[in-house]
Amino acid sequence: LFGGFGRLVPLILVASLVGWVVWAMFETASQRRYIFGAKFSLGFGGDEVRIMVVGLLWALMSLVIFVVPIILFVSAFGALAEMDPSGQLDDQTAARFLGTFFAGFGLMFLFSLLYIFIATRLAPCFGLTVKEKEIRFFDAWNVSRGRFWPILGAYVIIVVVVSVFSQIISAIAQMLMMPFLMSLPVGDELPTEEMAAIFLSPAFIAPMALLYFGLMFVQGLTQHFVGAPAALAARHDPRNDLGDAERVDIFS
């Protein structure tokens, strides 16, 4: 199915799994820092596994919210794929494409607003899971009551900061990749196997690995700082406020 590039599939799967695990380790360490005041230390145990599950639930929630616009976009471009490549775009196909595309675009905008609202309300789920030592996804809705705007503002910051640093790292990666790209053959098309061998070479994988882990580091660092409102909302959940417990210990 993938030809010579089929050999890249295991690497992509392994990289995705590693990224998932590393993200869970950073997220758990960050939440422990905010909730318990613990030192920022990476490890892997029950907390990290629970955070991985919560992250998976978060991804599934996102998929459910955006599944309808995605289907419309796929349907729109599917209409173009069905036409004869050598023929012209007839009025019926054009109308079908434009109608479906703009319907998907409109729903994507509306569902994005819905996603922002739901994601902000459920943002404390990670801190709550670490705090309670059990998966607490939907219960975060109660914790974020009255803290919507501070949490949303923090996530606006993370988008801006990550975008800026991602552009910087991408520019550096492009500079590192330039010698490799300049060495690629031009003109006659190479067989798929030879192209796959080129993209599996250390000259390609090493810069891409640096870019991948660089982006992960920037994302983890910025996520730690701007995740404070959601984590502190979980820490000061009125039903089990750790701050109150600490004050009782001091005066007891």
Side-chain angles (χ1 to χ4, degrees), residues 28-123:
T28 304
S30 176
Q31 296 296 333
R32 287 200 195 102
R33 174 65 179 168
Y34 283 122
I35 293 175
F36 301 116
K39 293 182 179 180
F40 192 92
S41 60
L42 299 178
F44 191 81
D47 286 339
E48 285 74 16
V49 172
R50 285 186 287 270
I51 287 295
M52 290 179 67
V53 174
V54 173
L56 180 61
L57 292 174
W58 190 281
L60 292 175
M61 175 198 71
S62 304
L63 179 62
V64 169
I65 292 176
F66 290 111
V67 65
V68 174
I70 291 174
I71 291 175
L72 289 176
F73 281 129
V74 172
S75 176
F77 288 101
L80 293 180
E82 292 175 358
M83 66 170 292
D84 185 1
S86 60
Q88 294 183 346
L89 187 64
D90 59 88
D91 294 340
Q92 183 178 1
T93 303
R96 178 185 171 189
F97 168 76
L98 292 176
T100 309
F101 177 82
F102 283 109
F105 183 82
L107 286 177
M108 180 66 74
F109 175 76
L110 293 177
F111 285 9
S112 294
L113 297 178
L114 175 64
Y115 173 80
I116 290 172
F117 175 74
I118 295 177
T120 303
R121 291 300 305 269
L122 293 178

Side-chain angles (χ1 to χ4, degrees), residues 242-252:
L242 294 182
D244 291 341
E246 290 174 356
R247 285 189 289 271
V248 170
D249 290 339
I250 291 174
F251 291 101
S252 60

Side-chain angles (χ1 to χ4, degrees), residues 97-192:
F97 168 76
L98 292 176
T100 309
F101 177 82
F102 283 109
F105 183 82
L107 286 177
M108 180 66 74
F109 175 76
L110 293 177
F111 285 9
S112 294
L113 297 178
L114 175 64
Y115 173 80
I116 290 172
F117 175 74
I118 295 177
T120 303
R121 291 300 305 269
L122 293 178
C125 64
F126 301 101
L128 201 60
T129 296
V130 172
K131 176 184 176 182
E132 303 292 343
K133 300 293 183 182
E134 59 183 32
I135 297 173
R136 304 291 292 273
F137 187 72
F138 294 105
D139 194 35
W141 189 274
N142 299 319
V143 176
S144 62
R145 184 177 290 113
R147 299 180 174 94
F148 176 83
W149 292 111
I151 296 174
L152 178 60
Y155 281 102
V156 170
I157 293 174
I158 194 172
V159 170
V160 174
V161 173
V162 170
S163 297
V164 172
F165 279 95
S166 297
Q167 290 297 323
I168 295 175
I169 294 178
S170 297
I172 296 174
Q174 290 176 12
M175 294 175 60
L176 294 174
M177 290 291 296
M178 190 59 65
F180 171 79
L181 296 175
M182 295 295 293
S183 66
L184 290 177
V186 294
D188 296 334
E189 185 177 352
L190 289 177
T192 304

